[in-house]
Amino acid sequence: MPNGAQALMKTLVDAGIEVCFSNPGTSEMHFVAALDNEPKMRAVLALFEGVATGAADGYARMADKPAATLLHLGSGLGNGLANLHNARKGKVPVVNIVGDHATYHVQYNAQLQSDIETVARNVSPGFVRTSQSTEQLCQDAVEAIAAAKGLPGQVATLILPADVSWGEGGKPCAPLPEPKLLGADDATLKTIAEAIRSGQKTAFLLGGRALREPSLMAAARIAAHNGVKLFAETFPTRMERGAGLPPVERLAYLAELATLQLAEYDNLVLVDSKAPVSFFAYPGKDSYLVPEHCTLHTLATPEQDALTTLNQLTETLGAGSAQPELQAPARPGRPRGKLTAEKVCKALGHIMPENSIVVDEAMTSGLMLNVMTAGAPRHDMLTLTGGAIGQGLPSATGAAIASPERPVYALIGDGTVMYTIQALWTMAREQLNVTTIIFNNASYSILNMELERVGAEEAGEKAKSQLDISGPVTHYAQLAQSMGVHGIRVHTTEELLKAMEYARDTPGPHLIEAIVPESLNGAKRKVLPWLLRSLPNLPRPVTKALKKKIAP
Amino acid sequence: MPNGAQALMKTLVDAGIEVCFSNPGTSEMHFVAALDNEPKMRAVLALFEGVATGAADGYARMADKPAATLLHLGSGLGNGLANLHNARKGKVPVVNIVGDHATYHVQYNAQLQSDIETVARNVSPGFVRTSQSTEQLCQDAVEAIAAAKGLPGQVATLILPADVSWGEGGKPCAPLPEPKLLGADDATLKTIAEAIRSGQKTAFLLGGRALREPSLMAAARIAAHNGVKLFAETFPTRMERGAGLPPVERLAYLAELATLQLAEYDNLVLVDSKAPVSFFAYPGKDSYLVPEHCTLHTLATPEQDALTTLNQLTETLGAGSAQPELQAPARPGRPRGKLTAEKVCKALGHIMPENSIVVDEAMTSGLMLNVMTAGAPRHDMLTLTGGAIGQGLPSATGAAIASPERPVYALIGDGTVMYTIQALWTMAREQLNVTTIIFNNASYSILNMELERVGAEEAGEKAKSQLDISGPVTHYAQLAQSMGVHGIRVHTTEELLKAMEYARDTPGPHLIEAIVPESLNGAKRKVLPWLLRSLPNLPRPVTKALKKKIAP
């Protein structure tokens, strides 16, 4: 009879969990040993837990099924918390396995003893369980897996005491049956259909799984049939887009811009998304971004299946045979001249192959990313769902493991890249096809903007130095090389293009460090037109209203 | 009238808190802006929260007063959790300031919203408070500071909503009065004195603040007068040692060895320490390490002042005029021949200047560190109090800021260094006198040992690959250079010595990467004598007993 860890490994694999992103310690050694008996389980080692959890997130976004993590006690969970937060906010399934001391060892309050469940509740409000016996372990595991995979997807934390793991008498369990997908009720469908037909202006806010092709096509049929506008939530978990797919405009990060995007709509229909709110609060500015005159409807809660509800609504509206608007192929031209963040985005749109995966953690430097890749060949975009920076490199790592045949581009700001820089090592170890592009502007650029937005305008040198990472300027290409990743620093647009072409044609991980000026390092009069260019569909004229909002 | 952040800044400085280790985000921008008005507050930027919290820990160990941290919401706290855990276990005072959304923004469940208090309780069981108003903020702050500084020292978490920070009407508060130090009661003193005088063998286990010079001298007087043995806890927060101070033997990490160290004692007296237990649980082995025949006494709980109780006991025993045994100066000779981990430790003992600070996170590679530095000039040793790896570089950063005139040596294993590698950037930015020595053996060496110790001996290639970090081997010297730290890789003992002498004579941060063979990569027959050499005072003959324990 297998021990607990061996039975758990079989249970995981039987439930389709075939990758474990791990950073183990002593209490997880039996789980590690059990890897040898289970050829279907791939273990991917990370040098830091935030890499493991972020990779599990990125993997699940692309594989459409959870991976397992393997973390070491409360401190390991703490290190992995930020990216589990991103997974939680993105409704991404993760089976989060945290090793613990043997049950009888807890009473001694040894060095690494801490309250793991307490920490786990932050990211796993729906499922935290410490398995109490080897016999019970696999039943706990299948329940954790079911909780993770349900709608909405979630982080399910299974705490695994060492003696439960090493104990004899493990009993593998078969996975629980898949739950039935929930649709919308008739009353809701009727109300929303009436609003759409009323002649009022209506927009959909698509989020979560509503940004995948089948849902997008259904929504686009309704849009074509009934003149509905399609928005995507600001930070999509995974958005399928590009040539041949319905074009959907993302709500802007800046509340001032999002408000303008939403201003003209009388009805906003949530489809696996939540009512838009400001990312942060700002003195004297609204947090809630739905206009006062606008009625909010919910077609699909995160507990419901977005596609089912969209199909129901299509039928109600008789939109089934409408021709959806599809994005025409339109790559931007080859960028020339002085290298800027915008030209990096343009180069990506110019070069990236079909079926690329784009991980966007470029912050201010990525403002033009949507515009520049809108007509590029079909691709997926993964974003920073929970706002906890340090998600990009790990997410790209996981996405590349889920989709080894697809090129992955990770666009990362230099203010965020260091949080989980250890991911480069895992990329090298696993020889993943990830091209990381770092925007090196030697600044927490977004915070310079935020410093003004919160009204702390009088900031002096000492305050500003807290947002300045130019002393010293990190050499990211050299840093990548130190971990076995091909790294190059580029200063010109020509160098950038050459490096991107080389990376595209050469398997394995690459890091391109683009030296760019700070995107927002200008007077507001320069920033404003630039922000407007990032939202080409914003109804004109808006400049005056915008100026008032941005700089009242 | 100042805003909340400005009043808080003044309150912190008035309470003697003069350094803030920060990794701010938008919700902390008013705190950042308030730095400009307070010349006495030094803000030290970290690129990762674990660096900020570990630096606050190391700073407080050397400064004997807390620093503040500045973290961004629940995810930032998560990233800082592991090193706050180490501070908690080390009874180190930290005023842990975590920014939060504005109070009225919480209801909107924005991207970064999470339950911060829940996470904080893991490391701040004694004090977690979300300040509810600008008016109340500074009173909350002085209570947090008092909680942090009390005995035992602790991590006090003050959660600072953005609107409490930016609100007008802040009222700075004066610090609360220092609490009275508690000693031992007469009955305890009498019982312990009787045990010591009984003729039975008695040992003291000194921990926490009992490992500082005044307490060490008091304990050593008692030792000289009454034939008591002095042990130090396995992972001291800060241990003053070297030539001219009483020599104290640290309990070994390996439970098998610690058991042998304690075997002959009938009484064990705890002085600001806890009863020794095994770091982890192992199948079939004891977790509790106090021998069955041994009576446990507590002279000072962590709530009491160790020095007061030792002075009381000295008086009770009439030991006040005894001459304590003091360590004679005895540097090891200049190491020669093939470079090994042991020779790195020997080189440190040979070279390090008086008043050095040694941060020990060398794991298996540091086994000979205590022996090799025992007779070196007086120094402080800071260790991994909570077992959460990734403590060394941040702790060294904080120690160097607290003690700018003292050389800091950080001895770090390559299995632990990557967790908080971003500390190198802060060392470069602040031009700290830290010499980091990385033992590059391309392995989680301690886990290879632990894999066997937990009985998972059948481990195959797949399991072992989870403990092998040789593919790729990180180039740590290059990595250091990428962040502006002078880095060099050494392969020979001569190169090592030359690099250490250069670092000693050249201000600013240095990183020396020593390529060494894996310490424990041998047959048990080789490991055994080596373990024994690390504990030269172990009563002989022990080899047979030890063999039985290590390899039963």
Side-chain angles (χ1 to χ4, degrees):
Chain A
M1 196 173 268
N3 68 21
Q6 290 160 344
L8 173 59
M9 199 66 76
K10 177 159 173 44
T11 299
L12 290 170
V13 165
D14 287 351
I17 297 179
E18 298 174 327
V19 177
C20 173
F21 294 98
S22 74
N23 187 263
T26 299
S27 36
E28 294 77 43
M29 283 299 106
H30 285 86
F31 187 102
V32 168
L35 288 169
D36 287 317
N37 302 326
E38 189 43 78
K40 283 192 204 146
M41 178 64 81
R42 176 176 182 186
V44 177
L45 181 63
L47 297 184
F48 175 68
E49 292 88 346
V51 176
T53 56
D57 177 6
Y59 173 91
R61 294 189 196 199
M62 293 311 303
D64 272 331
K65 62 180 188 175
T69 62
L70 183 63
L71 310 178
H72 183 48
L73 299 154
S75 303
L77 175 59
N79 282 339
L81 210 69
N83 274 329
L84 291 172
H85 170 87
N86 287 322
R88 173 169 80 91
K89 292 291 186 164
K91 299 170 276 188
V92 179
V94 175
V95 177
N96 185 40
I97 301 177
V98 184
D100 194 4
H101 284 310
T103 52
Y104 62 84
H105 194 66
V106 169
Q107 62 185 308
Y108 299 114
N109 194 22
Q111 270 89 346
L112 275 164
Q113 178 65 35
S114 77
D115 182 352
I116 302 176
E117 289 193 4
T118 283
V119 179
R121 279 193 201 99
N122 180 273
V123 288
S124 292
F127 190 101
V128 177
R129 189 179 301 171
T130 303
S131 197
Q132 297 297 333
S133 74
T134 304
E135 193 176 19
Q136 183 63 24
L137 172 60
C138 294
Q139 182 61 35
D140 292 332
V142 292
E143 290 177 27
I145 294 164
K149 290 169 72 176
L151 286 185
Q154 65 176 315
V155 177
T157 298
L158 179 65
I159 301 171
L160 178 58
D163 54 340
V164 170
S165 186
W166 77 50
E168 295 298 320
K171 294 180 185 167
C173 287
L176 301 182
E178 302 276 336
K180 196 166 169 280
L181 295 178
L182 299 179
D185 59 38
D186 290 343
T188 301
L189 291 168
K190 189 172 164 232
T191 307
I192 293 174
E194 278 169 10
I196 290 173
R197 288 171 173 149
S198 68
Q200 293 183 331
K201 295 193 86 168
T202 299
F204 282 12
L205 181 57
L206 308 173
R209 296 169 58 87
L211 293 168
R212 311 289 283 278
E213 184 178 9
S215 293
L216 287 172
M217 293 301 278
R221 270 186 216 104
I222 295 170
H225 190 259
N226 295 85
V228 162
K229 167 80 179 179
L230 301 183
F231 286 116
E233 60 188 347
T234 309
F235 292 98
T237 301
R238 174 180 171 190
M239 182 168 173
E240 298 191 304
R241 64 195 294 272
L245 285 171
V248 179
E249 184 179 330
R250 270 168 76 179
L251 276 194
Y253 165 79
L254 285 178
E256 298 87 337
L257 293 173
T259 306
L260 291 176
Q261 287 175 287
L262 295 171
E264 60 180 309
Y265 296 98
D266 305 302
N267 295 285
L268 185 65
V269 180
L270 304 179
V271 191
D272 198 359
S273 65
K274 58 192 282 298
V277 298
S278 171
F279 203 88
F280 292 107
Y282 303 94
K285 293 182 183 174
D286 287 338
S287 287
Y288 188 68
L289 303 183
V290 181
E292 265 185 40
H293 62 268
C294 179
T295 307
L296 201 64
H297 306 267
T298 300
L299 178 64
T301 67
E303 287 73 27
Q304 292 169 306
D305 181 55
L307 178 58
T308 301
T309 64
L310 285 164
N311 285 338
Q312 288 174 296
L313 188 61
T314 303
E315 196 174 333
T316 305
L317 292 167
S321 57
Q323 283 302 311
E325 183 199 350
L326 300 179
Q327 172 70 48
R331 283 189 189 269
R334 197 173 171 88
R336 295 178 205 289
K338 190 168 171 296
L339 185 58
T340 62
E342 180 173 340
K343 282 182 196 153
V344 175
C345 298
K346 190 173 183 183
L348 185 71
H350 183 73
I351 284 179
M352 71 178 187
E354 184 151 19
N355 281 324
S356 291
I357 298 166
V358 179
V359 176
D360 173 18
E361 201 185 31
M363 321 301 278
T364 58
S365 294
L367 197 84
M368 298 300 287
L369 182 60
N370 286 315
V371 170
M372 291 299 180
T373 56
R378 185 194 164 108
H379 59 279
D380 287 81
M381 191 170 286
L382 315 185
T383 78
L384 184 57
T385 44
I389 55 179
Q391 180 257 5
L393 295 180
S395 184
T397 303
I401 284 173
S403 306
E405 76 294 349
R406 299 179 62 175
V408 180
Y409 289 92
L411 273 65
I412 318 279
D414 61 349
T416 76
V417 69
M418 290 304 287
Y419 288 79
T420 47
I421 191 71
Q422 307 91 343
L424 293 173
W425 183 86
T426 300
M427 290 181 194
R429 181 178 176 92
E430 304 287 338
Q431 281 300 298
L432 304 179
N433 295 321
V434 178
T435 298
T436 299
I437 302 180
I438 311 262
F439 296 84
N440 187 345
N441 61 21
S443 164
Y444 284 122
S445 183
I446 197 165
L447 290 184
N448 276 316
M449 176 181 75
E450 296 287 31
L451 192 66
E452 291 194 13
R453 290 181 81 212
V454 298
E457 305 209 20
E458 74 281 24
E461 282 315 302
K462 203 165 156 194
K464 286 195 172 154
S465 81
Q466 292 296 298
L467 315 179
D468 168 22
I469 53 177
S470 71
V473 176
T474 301
H475 196 302
Y476 297 100
Q478 189 179 23
L479 199 163
Q481 288 159 14
S482 77
M483 287 188 256
V485 168
H486 174 257
I488 184 165
R489 181 181 258 191
V490 299
H491 296 82
T492 69
T493 304
E494 267 313 304
E495 286 171 4
L496 170 75
L497 288 161
K498 198 172 150 194
M500 287 180 72
E501 283 157 356
Y502 177 80
R504 181 192 60 198
D505 301 335
T506 313
H510 299 266
L511 183 140
I512 301 169
E513 178 189 6
I515 304 294
V516 294
E518 195 184 343
S519 315
L520 294 177
N521 193 12
K524 276 176 189 154
R525 64 187 158 75
K526 282 191 201 162
V527 172
L528 210 54
W530 181 66
L531 288 174
L532 283 178
R533 278 203 298 127
S534 78
L535 290 170
N537 298 321
L538 212 56
R540 262 66 175 172
V542 293
T543 312
K544 208 167 164 185
L546 189 62
K547 265 189 182 152
K548 205 171 150 194
K549 285 201 170 281
I550 298 271
Chain B
M1 194 172 267
N3 67 21
Q6 290 160 345
L8 173 60
M9 200 65 76
K10 175 155 175 48
T11 300
L12 290 170
V13 165
D14 287 351
I17 297 180
E18 298 173 330
V19 178
C20 173
F21 295 98
S22 74
N23 187 262
T26 299
S27 38
E28 295 76 43
M29 282 300 105
H30 285 86
F31 188 102
V32 167
L35 288 168
D36 286 318
N37 301 326
E38 190 41 79
K40 284 192 201 146
M41 178 65 81
R42 177 176 182 185
V44 177
L45 182 63
L47 296 184
F48 176 70
E49 293 86 346
V51 175
T53 57
D57 177 7
Y59 173 90
R61 295 189 195 200
M62 293 311 302
D64 271 332
K65 63 178 188 177
T69 62
L70 182 63
L71 310 177
H72 183 49
L73 299 154
S75 303
L77 175 59
N79 281 339
L81 209 71
N83 275 329
L84 291 172
H85 170 86
N86 288 320
R88 172 169 81 92
K89 291 292 185 164
K91 297 171 277 189
V92 179
V94 175
V95 177
N96 185 40
I97 301 178
V98 184
D100 194 3
H101 284 310
T103 51
Y104 62 83
H105 195 67
V106 168
Q107 62 184 307
Y108 299 114
N109 193 24
Q111 270 89 347
L112 274 164
Q113 178 65 35
S114 77
D115 182 353
I116 303 177
E117 289 194 3
T118 284
V119 180
R121 280 194 198 97
N122 180 272
V123 288
S124 291
F127 190 101
V128 178
R129 189 179 301 171
T130 303
S131 197
Q132 297 297 332
S133 74
T134 303
E135 193 176 20
Q136 183 62 25
L137 172 59
C138 294
Q139 182 61 33
D140 292 332
V142 292
E143 291 178 29
I145 295 164
K149 289 170 72 176
L151 286 184
Q154 65 176 314
V155 177
T157 298
L158 178 65
I159 300 171
L160 177 58
D163 53 341
V164 171
S165 186
W166 77 51
E168 294 300 320
K171 295 180 183 167
C173 288
L176 301 181
E178 301 275 337
K180 195 164 170 283
L181 296 177
L182 299 178
D185 60 36
D186 290 345
T188 302
L189 291 167
K190 191 172 162 227
T191 307
I192 294 174
E194 277 170 8
I196 290 173
R197 287 170 172 149
S198 68
Q200 293 183 333
K201 295 193 88 168
T202 298
F204 282 12
L205 182 57
L206 308 174
R209 295 170 57 87
L211 293 168
R212 311 288 281 278
E213 183 176 10
S215 292
L216 287 172
M217 293 301 279
R221 274 187 212 103
I222 295 170
H225 189 259
N226 295 86
V228 162
K229 167 79 177 179
L230 301 183
F231 286 115
E233 60 188 348
T234 309
F235 292 98
T237 300
R238 174 180 170 189
M239 183 169 173
E240 299 191 304
R241 64 195 294 272
L245 285 170
V248 178
E249 185 179 330
R250 270 168 75 179
L251 276 194
Y253 165 80
L254 287 178
E256 298 87 336
L257 292 173
T259 306
L260 290 175
Q261 286 175 289
L262 294 171
E264 59 179 309
Y265 297 96
D266 305 303
N267 294 286
L268 185 65
V269 179
L270 304 179
V271 191
D272 197 0
S273 65
K274 57 193 284 296
V277 298
S278 172
F279 203 89
F280 291 107
Y282 302 95
K285 291 182 184 174
D286 287 339
S287 286
Y288 188 68
L289 303 183
V290 181
E292 265 186 41
H293 63 268
C294 179
T295 306
L296 201 64
H297 305 267
T298 300
L299 178 63
T301 67
E303 287 74 26
Q304 292 169 306
D305 181 55
L307 178 58
T308 302
T309 65
L310 285 164
N311 285 339
Q312 288 174 298
L313 187 62
T314 303
E315 194 174 334
T316 306
L317 293 165
S321 58
Q323 285 301 312
E325 182 198 350
L326 300 179
Q327 173 69 49
R331 283 189 190 269
R334 196 173 171 87
R336 295 177 204 290
K338 190 170 170 301
L339 185 58
T340 61
E342 180 173 341
K343 281 182 197 152
V344 175
C345 298
K346 191 174 182 182
L348 184 71
H350 182 73
I351 282 179
M352 70 177 186
E354 184 153 19
N355 281 323
S356 291
I357 299 167
V358 180
V359 176
D360 172 19
E361 201 185 31
M363 319 303 277
T364 57
S365 294
L367 198 83
M368 298 302 286
L369 181 61
N370 286 314
V371 171
M372 290 301 181
T373 56
R378 183 193 167 110
H379 58 278
D380 287 82
M381 191 170 285
L382 315 185
T383 79
L384 184 57
T385 44
I389 56 179
Q391 180 257 6
L393 294 180
S395 185
T397 302
I401 283 173
S403 307
E405 75 295 351
R406 300 178 62 173
V408 180
Y409 290 93
L411 274 67
I412 317 280
D414 61 349
T416 77
V417 70
M418 290 304 286
Y419 288 79
T420 47
I421 191 72
Q422 307 90 343
L424 293 173
W425 183 85
T426 300
M427 290 182 193
R429 180 176 176 92
E430 304 286 338
Q431 281 300 298
L432 303 178
N433 295 321
V434 178
T435 299
T436 299
I437 303 179
I438 312 261
F439 296 84
N440 188 344
N441 61 23
S443 165
Y444 284 122
S445 184
I446 197 165
L447 290 184
N448 276 316
M449 176 180 77
E450 297 287 31
L451 193 67
E452 290 194 14
R453 289 180 82 213
V454 297
E457 306 209 20
E458 74 279 20
E461 282 316 300
K462 201 166 156 193
K464 285 194 172 154
S465 80
Q466 291 296 299
L467 315 178
D468 168 22
I469 53 176
S470 71
V473 176
T474 300
H475 196 301
Y476 297 99
Q478 189 179 24
L479 199 162
Q481 288 159 15
S482 77
M483 287 188 255
V485 169
H486 175 255
I488 184 165
R489 181 182 259 190
V490 299
H491 296 83
T492 69
T493 304
E494 268 312 304
E495 287 171 2
L496 170 75
L497 288 162
K498 200 172 149 193
M500 286 181 73
E501 283 156 358
Y502 176 80
R504 181 192 60 199
D505 301 335
T506 312
H510 300 266
L511 183 140
I512 302 169
E513 178 189 6
I515 305 293
V516 295
E518 195 184 344
S519 314
L520 294 176
N521 194 12
K524 275 175 190 153
R525 66 188 156 74
K526 282 191 203 165
V527 173
L528 208 54
W530 181 66
L531 288 173
L532 284 178
R533 277 201 300 126
S534 77
L535 290 168
N537 299 320
L538 213 57
R540 263 64 176 172
V542 293
T543 311
K544 208 166 163 185
L546 189 62
K547 266 188 180 153
K548 204 170 149 193
K549 284 203 170 278
I550 298 271

